[in-house]
Amino acid sequence: ILASEDKYRQMFYQNPFPMWINDAETLQILEVNDAAISKYGYEREEFLSLHLHDIQKGSAGSIQTEWDGRGKELWKHLRKNGDIIIVEFTYYRINYFGKTAMQAQVNDVTENIRLEHELTIKKQQLVEAVLEAQEAERKNIGRELHDNINQILTAVKLSMSHALENNEHRERLISKGVVNISSAIEEIRN
């Protein structure tokens, strides 16, 4: 049993993730590991004088919502220097010297969340840039199409007006007009 307890202590105190044990009712921090001291910037004695609400400053979302004695949530935590970090807060009930306590493990996800937010913004900017490029291309195509079609239809109108006035070249001018109208239709389709 002593070897088991010693192994547990080593796993707790030397764990690379910040961990602590707090009273389930009062939320007083009862025990803290070295990683938590390093992450939060408090001396061990200072940390042990804190309550969970001194560190935990509000929810930042939830990964698991059902309560089964265990859970994993995102929380805003306050470091001694005043910095706010977003942490994945995993906790579970334990028996701590005969009383119910909560053991917490913290994973700082501030940078991950910042990068995800930045990626979302970049994606939005990319979508907006693509939409703007498509709209500009549509305008260019519309302008080109408009100019080309107008030129073709103007030529057809002139040919038809001239055909009405000139019996000698009427058939050739009407044929040329039909070809130009076919060209305009093809241009619009393309």
Side-chain angles (χ1 to χ4, degrees):
I1 294 176
L2 291 177
S4 168
E5 287 178 13
D6 188 46
K7 199 178 270 189
Y8 172 78
R9 278 192 190 90
Q10 281 184 336
M11 286 174 31
F12 179 81
Y13 288 108
Q14 295 174 2
N15 194 309
F17 288 101
M19 297 176 76
W20 62 74
I21 298 171
N22 60 272
D23 185 282
E25 291 177 25
T26 67
L27 305 180
Q28 171 74 43
I29 296 177
L30 306 170
E31 201 58 61
V32 63
N33 74 355
D34 296 337
I37 290 168
S38 174
K39 173 59 75 178
Y40 287 84
Y42 293 100
E43 297 295 325
R44 184 175 304 279
E45 295 75 30
E46 290 177 299
F47 219 120
L48 296 176
S49 70
L50 298 174
H51 289 77
L52 187 56
H53 56 77
D54 294 325
I55 296 170
Q56 203 154 282
K57 294 302 176 189
S59 176
S62 181
I63 294 173
Q64 175 184 336
T65 55
E66 65 271 359
W67 173 252
D68 59 0
R70 298 162 53 132
K72 188 184 273 189
E73 299 178 19
L74 296 181
W75 288 88
K76 294 177 185 173
H77 277 194
L78 180 66
R79 298 176 63 203
K80 183 179 179 179
N81 68 3
D83 288 349
I84 297 284
I85 58 175
I86 298 174
V87 299
E88 187 178 79
F89 189 63
T90 307
Y91 50 91
Y92 50 93
R93 293 181 192 276
I94 64 167
N95 181 334
Y96 184 74
F97 296 109
K99 70 189 295 189
T100 301
M102 301 299 289
Q103 181 167 323
Q105 178 175 310
V106 174
N107 181 22
D108 183 353
V109 294
T110 308
E111 186 65 13
N112 294 354
I113 298 225
R114 185 191 66 75
L115 290 173
E116 285 174 12
H117 180 69
E118 206 173 275
L119 182 61
T120 299
I121 289 171
K122 294 286 185 199
K123 284 180 181 178
Q124 287 173 338
Q125 290 171 342
L126 182 60
V127 166
E128 288 171 11
V130 167
L131 291 175
E132 285 176 20
Q134 286 176 338
E135 186 59 30
E137 184 65 18
R138 264 196 228 76
K139 284 180 181 177
N140 286 338
I141 290 170
R143 197 174 306 111
E144 258 182 58
L145 184 61
H146 179 266
D147 292 348
N148 289 344
I149 299 302
N150 270 348
Q151 288 175 4
I152 294 169
L153 292 177
T154 300
V156 168
K157 181 182 176 192
L158 289 173
S159 292
M160 295 302 153
S161 295
H162 193 58
L164 287 173
E165 296 169 1
N166 190 338
N167 288 336
E168 186 180 321
H169 299 288
R170 182 174 289 160
E171 194 173 309
R172 184 179 62 78
L173 292 171
I174 291 174
S175 293
K176 189 174 182 181
V178 169
V179 168
N180 284 337
I181 289 173
S182 294
S183 175
I185 290 170
E186 190 61 32
E187 176 99 12
I188 291 169
R189 282 188 183 145
N190 288 337

